[in-house]
Structures are given as C-alpha cells and as structure tokens.
Amino acid sequence: MATRPDTKTSLDSLHHLRDEIERRNPAQPEFHQAVHEVLETLAPVLAARPEYAEPGLLERLVEPERQIIFRVPWQDDRGRVHVNRGYRVEFNSALGPYKGGLRFHPSVNLGIIKFLGFEQIFKNALTGQGIGGGKGGSDFDPHGRSDAEIMRFCQSFMTELQRHIGEHTDVPAGDIGVGTREIGYLFGQYRRITNRWESVLTGKGRGWGGSLIRPEATGYGNVLFAAAMLRERGEDMEGRTAVVSGSGNVAIYTIEKLTALGANAVTCSDSTGYVVDEKGIDLQLLKQVKEVERGRVSDYAERRGASARFVPGGRVWEVPADVALPSATQNELTEDDAATLVRNGVKAVSEGANMPTTPEAVHLLQKAGVAFGPGKAANAGGVAVSALEMAQNASRTAWSAERVEEELTHIMNDIHTTCHETAQRHGAPGDYVTGANIAGFERVADAMLAQGVI
C-alpha cells in the first residue's frame, strides 16, 4: 500500500521535476513558465491522492507525446523562394484527439508552441468535451503578404501537416495570424491531398462547415467568465469601465460582449500603441479598420473624432478601469502594470490571450484581492465552440447562433463553477488559478491512470 506523502514531500518532488524540465528543455522560457505555474499549485492534490505520483504520471504529462518540426518552402509573388519552419506539438490525447490552434507569427519557435500546447491540455479538459491538447504554427509572417502568397504558404504547410492530423487524431484551429482565410487555404489543400471532407480543421467559413459564434467565442467566453467572477462577489458587469488590450479577433469580440452586458470598453491596442475612447470603442469602426482594411488602431483614432486619442508606445493598463481583459499576447501585463491597475481600483482581471500576465503580476493581483481569471479557464470559449463545430460536422447539421451561444454560456459558467469549487475544496477559496490547474489536472490524470503507462 502506497505511503501518503505530505504536502512538503510533494513540493520537494515538484521542485525536482521543475529542475529536470529546465535541464531537458533549455532556452524555452515560455514553456518553463507555463509548467511552473501549474506545478506550483499541485502539491495539495498530490498529497491527497498519492496514486498520481506513482506511475511517473507528472513526468509523462510534461513530455509531449509527439513533436513535429518540418520545412515549409514557398514562393512569393516575384518568384523568390522562402523557407519557414513549421511545428505541431501533439501534447496529450488521454481525453480525446489533440485540439489546438495554429499560430503564424515571426515569434513562433518550439518553446512557444510547447507552452501553448501544455496550456491547451488543461483548457480543453476544463470544457468537459473530450478533447486533448496540442498546438502548432510557423514563424511565417502573414502581415503585408498578398492573398496569393498566403495561399502558397498554407498549401506548402499543409502538404506536410496532413500526414499527422485527422478528425480522430488531431484537429487544428486558428490562432494569431490564422483566420478564416488561412483556414480555407489549409482545408482546401487537405481535401486535395487526402480526398476526404472531414472535420480536420475548425474555424471554417460558415458556408462550408463552420459554426456560428466561432469567431466571437473566445472574446465572448472571456467576458462571461469575468462576469461570473463578479457575480460570485455580488457584483455585475453593467456600468463597469473596461480596458481591453489587442485589436484582433479576441479583443474585438471581447469589446462586443462587454457592450452587450452594459459595460463601457474604452481601449484597444496594437504593436504601435493604444487608443482610449471615453465614449466607448465604436465596434463598427474598429471592425472596418482591423478586419476589412487591416489597418492600425491609430487609424481608428483619426477617424473617430474628439472622443478618442492614440497613445503611441503606451501601456493600455494606464487607463483606470473596473475590469481588465488582456487579449493580445503572452506576458503583456507586467508586475508594474498590475500595480497600476490595483492603484486605479480594478476589481477583476480575466485573460483573453494565452498567459498574457506575468507570474509576478498574477501574485500581486491575487494578493490585492483582485478576482483573477487564468487563460486556461477564461479563454476556453474558443476551443469549446471549436468542439461544437466538430459535433455539427459529425452530424452534418448547422446549429443556430442562439443555440451555440447558449451552449457556450453553459460551458463557461460550468468552468467557473468547477474552478471555484475546486479551489475551495483544496483550501484556496477564490483562487481561480489553483482551481483551474487542479480541476484540469484531475480530469487528465484520471484518464491517464485508467489507460496505463503509455
């Protein structure tokens, strides 16, 4: 019979594992950060359930089942050949086929993809939809490229990726730099090579297998999670001032849902700086600038009029607000930013992007009593509706927007309840980071135990 370890013994074991991860995965700081953030919360559950420590379960959990790196050659419009690097990290399939987006951005490297894939394991587990965790992408930069160049790149990328994916194996989606246009080119090439029409990619166009509410889902879901955190404290979203970072898909639909719930979203941003609009962001104008014209937020400010001003190179977190929703990229909200938000009276911070808040900032916010929604819980709406898209494809049906949004609302509220109750059960009331990590871990760990050492 196994000896039940105490919390200190569990912590010592976790620290040893953390050191081993850093040794075996050098020069991957984002991956280290993601793993550390999970491991540091697991000591109570390991002490309570020693069977998790027995079969090398944690050691298997932090090692991807498969890591694929491949060359992506393509020609630009002038006939010049470029070579990018493609990635797919299939991290854990204990709960179902690998599921996670493809990111096209110059910053992409193996460490970034591994951090995103590791986060995806727990995020997908929290949805309760039977999907495993994976992630992929390339260091290709679609910005400034013609549609024809992007098509040729996507076709080259899929020519290799198609060997490794399938509706029962691995189902990628979009992420930064990969929208409906890119998914279309990728899906077309998959069909051409395999002669199969299957739900191998999600985020498809509405007329060819896509789901209503999928573009909106990550932003909508994050606001729903933030609203649930406020409700838990006897407050609501109506009348709140909100700051949102980013101006891509997640940020736009975060602003849209905030507005629908009666909040006033006053900011958006991109790599050049941020806009503050005291009247509230004009959604139609922002969509025109960013989704149609692919312009900058400074263009929004110029056309909006007196209520808006552009702050070049500034920090969106300087703007006083009740709710903050980081929706751009990893580690964008620092400890100094968190201190500014706290001084300005922020009540809740909810992550629309993947790991956008540094560990130091998270600790400061929690210490100050701010409700903090980690991305693996708060931004799970996107992958949740992706799984709903898979279900619609499997039954050859298309659901109404009302039905999809109702399902999304139910899933996000369920995730909030699960995280909140799990945190309480393990002696950390109100700590959504601990709740999300332990709840996701338990679901994956139980499946791994049941399936043996594989």
Side-chain angles (χ1 to χ4, degrees), residues 158-195:
M158 182 53 78
T159 298
E160 177 60 32
L161 185 66
Q162 57 87 21
R163 307 170 193 273
H164 311 288
I165 62 176
E167 63 179 331
H168 301 298
T169 304
D170 185 351
V171 184
D175 194 77
I176 294 172
V178 179
T180 305
R181 173 183 58 178
E182 289 77 16
I183 292 292
Y185 295 145
L186 292 164
F187 185 69
Q189 185 72 350
Y190 181 86
R191 285 199 309 105
R192 180 185 189 186
I193 293 170
T194 65
N195 194 30

Side-chain angles (χ1 to χ4, degrees), residues 22 31 74 146-147 164 200 204 230 249 283 350:
E22 291 185 358
F31 178 54
W74 59 282
S146 70
D147 286 353
H164 311 288
V200 71
K204 299 184 290 297
L230 288 175
N249 174 273
L283 263 174
S350 197

Side-chain angles (χ1 to χ4, degrees), residues 404-432:
V404 177
E405 189 163 359
E406 182 180 334
E407 293 279 354
L408 171 63
T409 301
H410 172 77
I411 290 167
M412 295 311 301
N413 286 334
D414 184 65
I415 291 172
H416 172 268
T417 300
T418 298
C419 295
H420 186 265
E421 291 179 351
T422 302
Q424 283 191 317
R425 178 160 48 91
H426 288 278
D431 185 344
Y432 291 97

Side-chain angles (χ1 to χ4, degrees), residues 274-432:
Y274 74 86
V275 165
V276 57
D277 189 336
E278 299 299 339
K279 288 185 177 179
I281 296 295
D282 181 328
L283 263 174
Q284 292 309 115
L285 177 57
L286 182 61
K287 288 180 180 181
Q288 176 66 27
V289 169
K290 299 302 292 190
E291 294 184 335
V292 178
E293 301 171 13
R294 302 183 188 275
R296 296 293 188 179
V297 295
S298 55
D299 301 329
Y300 170 95
E302 288 176 11
R303 287 151 65 175
R304 175 62 164 152
S307 70
R309 60 186 173 89
F310 173 66
V311 182
R315 308 285 294 171
V316 70
W317 318 116
E318 302 163 352
V319 180
D322 303 306
V323 182
L325 301 107
S327 306
T329 192
Q330 62 266 14
N331 291 325
E332 60 170 302
L333 199 163
T334 67
E335 185 176 18
D336 288 343
D337 297 326
T340 301
L341 287 169
V342 170
R343 281 196 304 272
N344 287 333
V346 74
K347 296 179 181 295
V349 175
S350 197
E351 294 187 320
N354 291 300
M355 206 170 71
T357 313
T358 67
E360 298 80 10
V362 174
H363 293 150
L364 190 154
L365 291 166
Q366 291 179 319
K367 186 177 178 181
V370 175
F372 179 78
K376 62 172 61 70
N379 71 32
V383 74
V385 175
S386 279
L388 298 179
E389 180 177 327
M390 293 165 65
Q392 292 170 74
N393 291 169
S395 59
R396 294 292 191 265
T397 59
W399 298 351
S400 67
E402 291 76 17
R403 179 178 176 183
V404 177
E405 189 163 359
E406 182 180 334
E407 293 279 354
L408 171 63
T409 301
H410 172 77
I411 290 167
M412 295 311 301
N413 286 334
D414 184 65
I415 291 172
H416 172 268
T417 300
T418 298
C419 295
H420 186 265
E421 291 179 351
T422 302
Q424 283 191 317
R425 178 160 48 91
H426 288 278
D431 185 344
Y432 291 97

Side-chain angles (χ1 to χ4, degrees), residues 116-177:
L116 292 167
F118 185 73
E119 286 279 293
Q120 203 77 38
I121 299 170
F122 303 92
K123 181 188 303 185
N124 294 359
L126 286 170
T127 71
Q129 294 173 290
I131 43 179
K135 206 75 177 183
S138 175
D139 56 2
F140 171 73
D141 186 0
H143 186 73
R145 292 293 179 184
S146 70
D147 286 353
E149 288 173 326
I150 290 170
M151 181 185 71
R152 288 192 290 272
F153 173 83
C154 289
Q155 289 174 341
S156 181
F157 183 88
M158 182 53 78
T159 298
E160 177 60 32
L161 185 66
Q162 57 87 21
R163 307 170 193 273
H164 311 288
I165 62 176
E167 63 179 331
H168 301 298
T169 304
D170 185 351
V171 184
D175 194 77
I176 294 172

